[in-house]
């Protein structure tokens, strides 16, 4: 049923007008399993990477990979100004754990919220942050990719079986009506 949600929202005439007006390639807006799941994968992956201009990074992949660009760009916004501190702190702590380093929270670092402190300790927190980013970016985006694929395939199978069940029910009732007509004809003649 996931497919129906996306298909229902894609038939807007204003959107079609904008696509034609600006000559946007339709493969970047297509709504199919591969396009949607790849868009989610790319968007979530770049959303976890601590860098400026994450949306530009998503757009830079469009010549090489075909995916649903609006979904990918919207997934980048999972890391918004409200969620960024929590995400990056979690990634930093994971990087510290993986590398076996001491955290900046330790007394050794004497944390100050000044530009000078950041210049002096830049490598102490940047390296663990990016190392900690890798498991989350790859893991979460891959997990979502496979879950969406599985849900989409299950949704299509369920829809097909439902359609087949309705057809068999119709066929059964049609055969029953046909049989009833034959019986009434033989009785009346």
């Amino acid at each position: 049923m996931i497919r129906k949600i996306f298909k229902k929202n894609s038939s807007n005439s204003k959107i079609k007008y904008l696509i034609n007006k600006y000559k946007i390639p339709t493969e970047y807006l297509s709504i199919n399993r591969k396009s949607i799941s790849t868009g989610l994968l790319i968007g979530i992956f770049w959303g976890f990477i601590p860098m400026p201009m994450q949306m530009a990074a998503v757009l830079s992949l469009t010549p090489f990979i075909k995916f649903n660009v609006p979904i990918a760009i919207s997934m980048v916004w999972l890391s918004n100004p409200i969620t960024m501190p929590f995400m990056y702190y979690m990634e930093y702590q994971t990087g510290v754990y993986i590398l076996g380093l001491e955290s900046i929270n330790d007394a050794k670092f004497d944390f100050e919220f000044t530009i000078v402190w950041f210049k002096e300790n830049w490598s102490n927190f940047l390296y663990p942050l990016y190392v900690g980013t890798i498991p989350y970016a790859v893991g979460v985006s891959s997990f979502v990719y496979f879950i969406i694929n599985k849900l989409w395939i299950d949704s299509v199978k369920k829809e097909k079986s439902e359609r087949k069940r309705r057809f068999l029910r119709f066929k059964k009732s049609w055969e029953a009506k046909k049989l009833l007509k034959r019986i009434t004809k033989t009785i009346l003649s």
Side-chain angles (χ1 to χ4, degrees):
M1 303 318 158
I2 295 170
R3 197 167 54 112
K4 285 185 178 181
I5 293 169
F6 286 118
K7 294 276 185 187
K8 185 171 60 172
N9 294 333
S10 69
S11 61
N12 191 339
S13 61
K14 290 179 183 178
I15 293 173
K16 288 181 181 179
Y17 172 75
L18 288 172
I19 291 169
N20 291 333
K21 181 179 177 183
Y22 294 109
K23 296 176 178 61
I24 299 170
T26 55
E27 61 264 10
Y28 297 127
L29 303 169
S30 64
I31 298 172
N32 57 46
R33 179 179 55 88
K34 186 178 179 184
S35 174
I36 298 291
S37 57
T38 307
L40 286 165
L41 174 95
I42 290 169
I44 292 172
F45 177 82
W46 285 111
F48 271 101
I49 306 292
M51 62 178 268
M53 299 183 50
Q54 295 166 322
M55 292 187 297
V58 167
L59 290 175
S60 70
L61 294 175
T62 55
F64 310 108
I65 304 170
K66 302 293 184 220
F67 58 93
N68 190 299
V69 175
I71 288 195
I73 288 175
S74 65
M75 287 298 106
V76 164
W77 278 96
L78 288 176
S79 63
N80 57 55
I82 295 169
T83 61
M84 272 182 195
F86 304 108
M87 286 174 63
Y88 295 163
Y89 182 73
M90 175 182 66
E91 292 169 353
Y92 169 76
Q93 289 298 338
T94 303
V96 164
Y97 176 76
I98 290 171
L99 295 171
L101 300 174
E102 291 184 42
S103 177
I104 348 177
N105 297 342
D106 296 342
K108 174 186 167 186
F109 286 100
D110 257 351
F111 178 74
E112 297 173 17
F113 200 66
T114 62
I115 293 175
V116 175
W117 185 91
F118 277 100
K119 282 183 182 178
E120 291 172 0
N121 294 297
W122 185 253
S123 63
N124 290 334
F125 69 87
L126 197 63
Y127 188 58
L129 175 65
Y130 276 96
V131 169
T133 296
I134 295 168
Y136 290 107
V138 172
V140 173
S141 61
S142 299
F143 178 74
V144 169
Y145 176 81
F146 289 117
I147 290 296
I148 292 299
N149 268 320
K150 175 81 171 109
L151 289 174
W152 196 291
I153 290 168
D154 289 349
S155 172
V156 169
K157 284 180 182 177
K158 184 178 178 183
E159 191 176 312
K160 282 183 180 179
S161 69
E162 182 69 30
R163 197 177 318 137
K164 185 177 180 180
R165 193 172 54 79
R166 275 186 279 147
F167 174 74
L168 290 175
R169 195 176 337 139
F170 169 75
K171 185 178 176 183
K172 203 177 208 181
S173 68
W174 181 72
E175 287 174 351
K177 286 178 185 177
K178 198 174 176 182
L179 182 64
L180 187 63
K181 278 185 181 179
R182 261 194 271 149
I183 292 172
T184 53
K185 274 186 181 179
T186 54
I187 292 174
L188 294 175
S189 39

